[in-house]
Amino acid sequence: EKLESVSLCRIVEEMLSLMESREKITPAHRIQTFMEGNPVCLLDVHHVRQILWNLIVNALEAMPEGGELTLAVSSDGLGDGGRAEARVDIRDTGCGIPPEIRDRVFEPFFTTKEKGTGLGLGIVYQLVERAGGRIEITHNELSGTTFSLFFPSNVSLPLAN
């Protein structure tokens, strides 16, 4: 793991242009971004890219007929223990996650996709935990799902473990 100061806004924008160049985003997808402040976190940049890539691909796949993908980055204020946190929301207007499987989506090998391995969200969960962050899923009222990532943002260097 190579920790560096990472601008979450920059990485979100980077991932979006990558998605566009790889034609993951179709003309039927509307993309909205909201960047509030520019939170910087001490993270492994490759891990953050992988987390965002998996979550954005999932969001787009949840909207095969098209829909709206919203990415929001903000300084969320204080998390547990009063430490500053940065927040990234990835919201889709797809079919949503049925309540009975919502608790299982992070289990390795759990998938509802025909060709899915079930590793995507399991890996996301592990990488977020390793980064000292957390992830929450919210079901949107009308349709779709929001994945919220929280990372410690004014971290001093972690102690070697």
Side-chain angles (χ1 to χ4, degrees), residues 4-16:
E4 52 191 291
S5 292
V6 171
S7 154
L8 291 176
C9 296
R10 207 192 65 227
I11 293 211
V12 164
E13 283 164 354
E14 212 178 84
M15 289 292 101
L16 279 177

Side-chain angles (χ1 to χ4, degrees), residues 46-65:
H46 300 296
H47 290 178
V48 180
R49 285 191 183 116
Q50 190 173 4
I51 290 165
L52 289 172
W53 176 267
N54 285 2
L55 290 176
I56 294 170
V57 165
N58 277 358
L60 292 169
E61 286 178 354
M63 307 182 287
E65 310 299 310

Side-chain angles (χ1 to χ4, degrees), residues 20-63:
E20 278 163 6
S21 67
R22 300 226 180 139
E23 293 178 2
K24 295 269 182 203
I25 296 171
T26 72
H29 291 124
R30 286 186 313 286
I31 310 292
Q32 291 205 63
T33 54
F34 297 98
M35 306 289 182
E36 217 180 281
N38 185 9
V40 170
C41 303
L42 195 66
L43 298 166
D44 182 316
V45 73
H46 300 296
H47 290 178
V48 180
R49 285 191 183 116
Q50 190 173 4
I51 290 165
L52 289 172
W53 176 267
N54 285 2
L55 290 176
I56 294 170
V57 165
N58 277 358
L60 292 169
E61 286 178 354
M63 307 182 287

Side-chain angles (χ1 to χ4, degrees), residues 95-99 102 137-141 143-146:
C95 46
I97 301 172
R102 227 169 281 166
I137 305 179
T138 322
H139 198 64
N140 303 341
E141 275 168 37
S143 68
T145 307
T146 303

Side-chain angles (χ1 to χ4, degrees), residues 113-125:
K113 296 178 193 168
E114 263 177 52
K115 296 201 171 83
T117 58
L119 288 174
L121 287 176
I123 288 170
V124 163
Y125 190 79

